[in-house]
Amino acid sequence: MSKRAPDRDCHVLSPDSDGIATAEAFLRRGELVAIPTETVYGLAGNAMDNTAIAGIFAVKNRPRFNPLITHFADQDAAWQHVMPNQRAQRLADTFWPGPLTLVLPKRNDSTISHLTSTGLSTLAVRVPAHPAARLLLITTQIPLAAPSANPSGTLSPTRASHVIEGLGDKIAGVVDGGTCPVGIESTVVGFDGDSPVLLRHGGVSQDRIEASIGTVAVATEHSTVSSPGMLRRHYAPSTPLTLNAETAKAGELMLGFGPDMPAGAPAGSLNLSVSGDLTEAAANIFSMLRELDAMNANGIVVMPIPADGLGRAINDRLMRASSEV
Ligand code: TXA
Ligand code: MG
């Protein structure tokens, strides 16, 4: 358990060298700091520090079997801890820095805490693209374990204010880097031997992964290679969610997509992208669900969203958010 006092001030830090220096001082003391990434805000701790990692699980109330992603300044830093195969190397060359996570065999001499990978023989690694995350990783050279900076099971944060709402009384600080541009978590790719397996749809679409390395298998809960994080209900608002809806009943709110949103949609309804742009919809999904959730409606109904490109990741998050399990 964390020894930290239950109530504390969360310092809001600027994304420049001053703010990053303060974040570094906290991290070197084993404290936790939320940082912006291009996908969502991450709750960062020194991945080599057992106390910091135990703190991440405690603060998020995260199941102890669900391993964390470790973030690095560049490929060389990541390859000190894991062994890339050829396809992993190609993916890293193509998509890093960026919203892609690779699950690879951990090196025997890796100094990353076993708590980070929950004792597995693999480690999830990523080089994020957000300038503030890069500045922090490059100046400190500390590998940072960082799950999304929200209480486990709730909507992921895409603004500093979302982090403060969910975890503000439990963490040392948050680097405010504005709104996360991608808005949806990284794509996670693992390997069955040398064969690539897509473990989570995310910010790099399956099409772009396949254009780089050829066909990938998509993991299910029953695959040999799977991700402990594939819990069905996840990323959930507290208002019940209905998918693929065309109309809203009285007392409900609509989350639309595209130009055909019904003109008579209830007041307060939102549109993920009026022009039907999936990149824009991904950037809006978590913050709009949050906004609608705060309006205490009887339900949120979501219009159909095409399952191509980033639409797969969006539909994946919506399916989990609506799941009763
Ligand atoms: O975009 C993102 O990935 C964000 C930002 C902060 O980087 N992070 C994030 O972390 O989404 P988190 O903890 O919410 O999701 C990590 C996912 C989980 O589904 C977890 O099970 C999976 O990665 N994972 C981590 N290590 C793994 C491993 N060794 N084997 C299989 N899956 C792993
Ligand atoms: Mg998460």
Side-chain angles (χ1 to χ4, degrees):
M1 291 302 288
S2 166
K3 289 197 209 87
R4 192 163 296 121
D7 282 297
R8 57 170 307 156
D9 287 338
C10 171
H11 294 82
V12 179
L13 308 172
S14 53
D16 56 14
S17 49
D18 280 356
I20 294 300
T22 309
E24 172 171 9
F26 284 136
L27 291 165
R28 292 205 186 278
R29 289 208 300 263
E31 303 255 17
L32 307 181
V33 180
I35 59 167
T37 82
E38 70 279 26
T39 59
V40 300
Y41 276 76
L43 177 60
N46 179 348
M48 301 180 296
D49 179 338
N50 285 324
T51 309
I53 302 307
I56 291 179
F57 283 95
V59 158
K60 274 186 64 94
N61 196 18
R62 180 177 176 106
R64 295 294 193 280
F65 58 81
N66 193 3
L68 308 177
I69 298 170
T70 305
H71 300 66
F72 294 92
D74 52 32
Q75 283 188 34
D76 287 349
W79 300 161
Q80 283 174 32
H81 298 278
V82 291
M83 292 176 283
N85 55 43
Q86 266 186 355
R87 287 197 182 89
Q89 179 63 58
R90 179 184 272 269
L91 288 173
D93 289 340
T94 311
F95 297 111
W96 281 356
L100 172 72
T101 294
L102 297 169
V103 175
L104 293 166
K106 196 173 170 183
R107 291 189 185 277
N108 287 332
D109 60 354
S110 168
T111 49
I112 302 296
S113 161
H114 286 288
L115 298 179
T116 302
S117 49
T118 60
L120 296 171
S121 61
T122 52
L123 183 69
V125 298
R126 157 161 133 81
V127 175
H130 193 288
R134 283 183 64 69
L135 186 61
L136 181 61
L137 288 162
I138 291 167
T139 53
T140 65
Q141 291 292 322
I142 303 174
L144 295 176
S148 50
N150 54 301
S152 196
T154 65
L155 294 166
S156 294
T158 54
R159 292 181 198 157
S161 60
H162 299 163
V163 176
I164 294 166
E165 267 166 48
L167 299 176
D169 58 348
K170 299 190 176 70
I171 62 177
V174 54
V175 177
D176 187 350
T179 302
C180 301
V182 176
I184 208 156
E185 294 87 346
S186 62
T187 302
V188 181
V189 176
F191 295 87
D192 187 358
D194 276 350
S195 306
V197 183
L198 202 153
L199 298 174
R200 178 176 75 183
H201 289 287
V204 180
S205 69
Q206 185 177 350
D207 312 335
R208 292 178 67 206
I209 300 281
E210 293 188 329
S212 165
I213 57 165
T215 310
V216 296
V218 178
T220 65
E221 276 139 289
H222 311 291
S223 306
T224 15
V225 174
S226 68
S227 190
M230 293 200 305
L231 304 172
R232 240 183 116 65
R233 185 170 167 83
H234 199 13
Y235 312 105
S238 40
T239 313
L241 208 64
T242 307
L243 306 188
N244 299 314
E246 303 288 352
T247 54
K249 293 200 280 284
E252 292 178 334
L253 290 166
M254 181 168 246
L255 183 58
F257 176 79
D260 301 328
M261 182 159 164
S269 294
L270 297 172
N271 194 327
L272 288 166
S273 169
V274 176
S275 66
D277 177 56
L278 289 166
T279 304
E280 184 185 11
N284 284 331
I285 185 80
F286 286 129
S287 59
M288 287 191 173
L289 280 173
R290 238 172 228 275
E291 231 179 289
L292 294 176
D293 200 21
M295 293 170 81
N296 295 316
N298 298 337
I300 301 170
V301 301
V302 188
M303 282 175 69
I305 294 164
D308 43 51
L310 288 184
R312 292 204 194 177
I314 298 171
N315 278 298
D316 169 85
R317 301 305 186 273
L318 285 169
M319 210 193 64
R320 288 169 207 280
S322 68
S323 168
E324 298 295 316
V325 189

